[in-house]
Amino acid sequence: MTTTSEPTELSEPALSVRQVLTLERVLAGEPEVVAGAGQLDRPVRWVHVAEAPDVGVMLTGGEMVLTTGVLLAGDEDKQAEYIRSLHRAEASAVVLGLGRAFPAPPEVMRRAAERCGLPMVVLHRPFPFAELTEEVQCRLVRRKFAAVSLSESVRTALTALITSGAPLQSLLDEVASHSACPVVVTNLAHRVLATAGERSAVDDVLRDWERIARQAWGHHPGRSGTGGGSEGDGWIRAELGGRGERWGQITLCGHRGDTATGRLLADRAAEALVLHRMLGGNSAHTWEEQSAQSLLTDLVSGVVPARQLLPRARAAGLPVNRRTFVPLVVRDVEADQLDRVLRMVGLSGLVAELADGAVAVLLSLARDQDALVLTANFAARVHSEAARTVVAAADPRTAWDDVPTGLREAQHVADAAGSSAALDLPAVVRLRDVHLRGLIRLLRDDPHVQSFAERELDGLLCGADDDMLSVLRTYLATGRNKSRTAQLHHVSRPALYRRLEAIQTRLGIDLDDFEQAASVHIALLAHDAQQS
């Protein structure tokens, strides 16, 4: 498992030089920055009091060095070398207490520090250095323990979610609650797979996601914190991958805490997501399906306005500018089959399973393409993969706001045509093709229709004879064609006649009478719609 921060162990917490200079005890010394003012955000890992001219050999990097310069007074060469040695040791800053050795800031040290980019601070009022070291060390230790506590808290919470079988979204919601900023998971092409955080903040991030992501990190995934200092703006990323292969990244977008905490959260989140994938047998492709499913489900439900879902669609890689959208719902086929067909025919779109087992497909076509022809080609390829599939379509839409209505229309057509798959249906079924069946489907929840169906079919429903209902259903659906009905039920014509006579006796009707047959047909359609 790899993430972008190396090593993956807890990062050393630090204060910045700027933060140290704002401490009350430091302010009492009247600090003045005389060199390296542009480097005050350097981290201070520790505070070290040293008077020796060769102090650099005793440092490991990140120290703020406190000195009175008593051993440097009167020797400008030593003063310059002192600053250079601190620079070579990667000290974070040097603080000089003015006094007997240096009543004023030494110009040689100031110039050397400016050339090296080393922050140099002088204290105009003397005070015990021990107070400063105690204050800073205590704060660093507290931050260390706080970081350890946060790390374990996040890891424990995420591990508990994983072991309980929680979905990806639950993990991301947990990360977002700790980071207090939008969290985005993408593949290596910057396609958004999942998000978490306050909805309005997430939408703001996604509104121009691809441009932002590529501008922040370039076209090639790199280490966290690379790409133009994005971490300074709170954009912190960790890579997702394992066994030498990267397959995505998680990004904290606009994290307002310190960078070390942001890296910690990103690393812990990355670890959890990789573990979630390994234990659940999931793949990055499955996450893409989940992303499409969430988007299309929200579009179908209409709970979220389509305009608010536009950033998510764009971030998921769906072309949305000046496009023609074709909403489809397909039955009796797997989502991965349709996804494969979509790639085979070279069309842009999203594929997702709906709650009732149907699969929604949203095609996105260029305005100059023939939407009807391309939809027919797609349906033909689908039928070649699964012959008894029903491909239901709404009319093409050129406005994104009309897509939810189109998806619901396609879903209605698929529901109405579902039980007619064995009958003659066009390759692409539309609203005009479902006729009376479509109307009954819309009215199925009306109490009057339910009462009518029960009353008309009472003779068969009470007997719970599914075979008689099946024969009646086929007989009426084939336009009362006895030969075709006998053929479909694999019985002889005399046997079929006996069954039809029994049905008429049970219902007390004459199926040769058009009005009575039509009444029973409508009741049967309503009954089937209610059962489904």
Side-chain angles (χ1 to χ4, degrees):
M1 177 173 55
T2 60
T3 62
T4 56
S5 295
E6 298 177 352
T8 57
E9 294 303 316
L10 186 66
S11 300
E12 189 78 19
L15 295 168
S16 68
V17 175
R18 191 186 309 278
Q19 288 173 315
V20 171
L21 296 181
T22 61
L23 297 179
E24 186 175 349
R25 293 187 180 181
V26 179
L27 291 175
E30 298 181 6
E32 177 189 359
V33 179
V34 296
Q39 302 294 322
L40 296 183
D41 290 320
R42 283 184 172 186
V44 176
R45 188 180 57 82
W46 209 243
V47 176
H48 190 67
V49 180
E51 299 292 353
D54 58 349
V55 64
V57 299
M58 295 180 278
L59 306 179
T60 58
E63 295 91 349
M64 173 180 278
V65 177
L66 310 180
T67 182
T68 61
V70 66
L71 299 181
L72 302 176
D75 191 331
E76 293 186 348
D77 291 338
K78 282 186 178 181
Q79 295 170 21
E81 177 56 27
Y82 182 82
I83 295 297
R84 289 192 293 266
S85 69
L86 294 180
H87 171 65
R88 289 193 297 268
E90 297 183 350
S92 60
V94 59
V95 178
L96 175 65
L98 299 181
R100 285 186 305 168
F102 293 101
E107 186 63 19
V108 172
M109 294 179 70
R110 191 198 66 78
R111 287 199 304 267
E114 194 66 53
R115 284 195 297 269
C116 293
L118 176 71
M120 179 175 173
V121 181
V122 296
L123 300 175
H124 290 277
R125 292 177 62 87
F127 72 92
F129 282 165
E131 293 186 6
L132 175 56
T133 57
E134 179 185 12
E135 175 79 9
V136 175
Q137 317 302 39
C138 287
R139 287 176 178 265
L140 290 174
V141 169
R142 286 199 297 269
R143 288 165 68 91
K144 178 72 173 180
F145 280 117
V148 171
S149 176
L150 175 63
S151 175
E152 290 309 307
S153 174
V154 173
R155 178 181 277 142
T156 299
L158 295 178
T159 301
L161 288 172
I162 292 171
T163 55
S164 67
L168 169 66
Q169 189 61 52
S170 296
L171 271 68
L172 295 182
D173 289 341
E174 184 70 24
V175 175
S177 70
H178 284 283
S179 64
C181 69
V183 176
V184 178
V185 175
T186 62
N187 61 17
L188 295 182
H190 306 294
R191 298 279 179 87
V192 174
L193 306 181
T195 63
E198 184 182 349
R199 189 73 263 163
S200 60
V202 171
D203 288 344
D204 287 342
V205 167
L206 295 185
R207 191 158 287 116
D208 198 12
W209 170 258
E210 186 168 349
R211 183 190 63 79
I212 293 173
R214 292 183 182 277
Q215 179 177 316
W217 299 297
H219 294 274
H220 305 287
R223 290 191 50 179
S224 176
T226 63
S230 57
E231 279 194 353
D233 298 325
W235 285 63
I236 301 172
R237 180 181 63 168
E239 291 181 3
L240 305 175
R243 299 174 183 175
E245 179 185 8
R246 295 194 309 269
W247 40 265
Q249 51 257 339
I250 181 171
T251 304
L252 307 186
C253 306
H255 177 63
R256 294 184 180 179
D258 61 85
T259 301
T261 301
R263 287 181 188 149
L264 181 150
L265 288 171
D267 285 346
R268 294 297 171 263
E271 291 172 1
L273 296 190
V274 172
L275 183 60
H276 180 270
R277 178 191 178 191
M278 292 172 61
L279 294 181
N282 294 327
S283 65
H285 179 66
T286 301
W287 287 3
E288 290 178 352
E289 290 178 348
Q290 292 176 0
S291 174
Q293 181 176 2
S294 173
L295 175 60
L296 290 184
T297 300
D298 286 346
L299 280 169
V300 170
S301 69
V303 174
V304 183
R307 189 166 298 277
Q308 292 184 20
L309 297 172
L310 189 59
R312 286 172 58 189
R314 185 182 289 111
L318 184 72
V320 294
N321 294 332
R322 297 187 57 78
R323 306 290 288 188
T324 297
F325 303 101
V326 182
L328 303 169
V329 172
V330 187
R331 287 196 172 278
D332 303 319
V333 68
E334 298 294 329
D336 58 348
Q337 287 180 280
L338 294 179
D339 193 49
R340 184 170 62 253
V341 169
L342 203 61
R343 293 195 301 270
M344 289 171 60
V345 298
L347 296 179
S348 297
L350 295 177
V351 178
E353 291 186 4
L354 299 178
D356 60 356
V359 180
V361 181
L362 180 60
L363 301 180
S364 175
L365 310 175
R367 289 282 177 87
D368 58 354
Q369 292 179 300
D370 192 321
L372 297 181
V373 170
L374 290 177
T375 303
N377 292 342
F378 174 77
R381 185 61 67 92
V382 171
H383 286 300
S384 70
E385 294 269 327
R388 295 175 65 83
T389 297
V390 173
V391 180
D395 292 333
R397 264 72 173 164
T398 56
W400 174 258
D401 287 346
D402 294 336
V403 168
T405 303
L407 283 168
R408 287 192 289 272
E409 178 183 315
Q411 189 175 32
H412 164 65
V413 173
D415 289 345
S419 59
S420 304
L423 305 179
D424 292 332
L425 288 173
V428 180
V429 186
R430 301 185 185 278
L431 193 59
R432 61 178 176 271
D433 300 314
V434 294
H435 305 296
L436 178 62
R437 186 180 299 273
L439 176 63
I440 296 300
R441 190 81 184 185
L442 289 175
L443 300 175
R444 63 181 173 176
D445 294 326
D446 188 292
H448 297 292
V449 174
Q450 294 172 357
S451 176
F452 169 77
E454 291 289 321
R455 183 172 62 252
E456 290 291 303
L457 300 175
D458 182 62
L460 293 183
L461 296 179
C462 289
D465 195 329
D466 290 338
D467 182 61
M468 282 192 175
L469 276 176
S470 178
V471 170
L472 176 62
R473 184 181 293 109
T474 304
Y475 179 63
L476 295 173
T478 57
R480 294 182 293 173
N481 186 322
K482 294 183 175 66
S483 297
R484 178 62 173 158
T485 302
Q487 181 183 17
L488 290 173
H489 284 270
H490 307 289
V491 297
S492 64
R493 287 174 64 93
L496 175 66
Y497 295 156
R498 289 193 295 272
R499 292 188 187 184
L500 291 176
E501 289 174 2
I503 290 171
Q504 292 180 100
T505 300
R506 289 272 191 95
L507 297 179
I509 63 168
D510 180 4
L511 288 176
D512 290 329
D513 181 276
F514 175 78
E515 185 173 342
Q516 293 183 56
S519 180
V520 172
H521 191 190
I522 293 172
L524 188 56
L525 290 176
H527 170 75
D528 289 345
Q530 292 157 15
Q531 293 302 308
S532 63

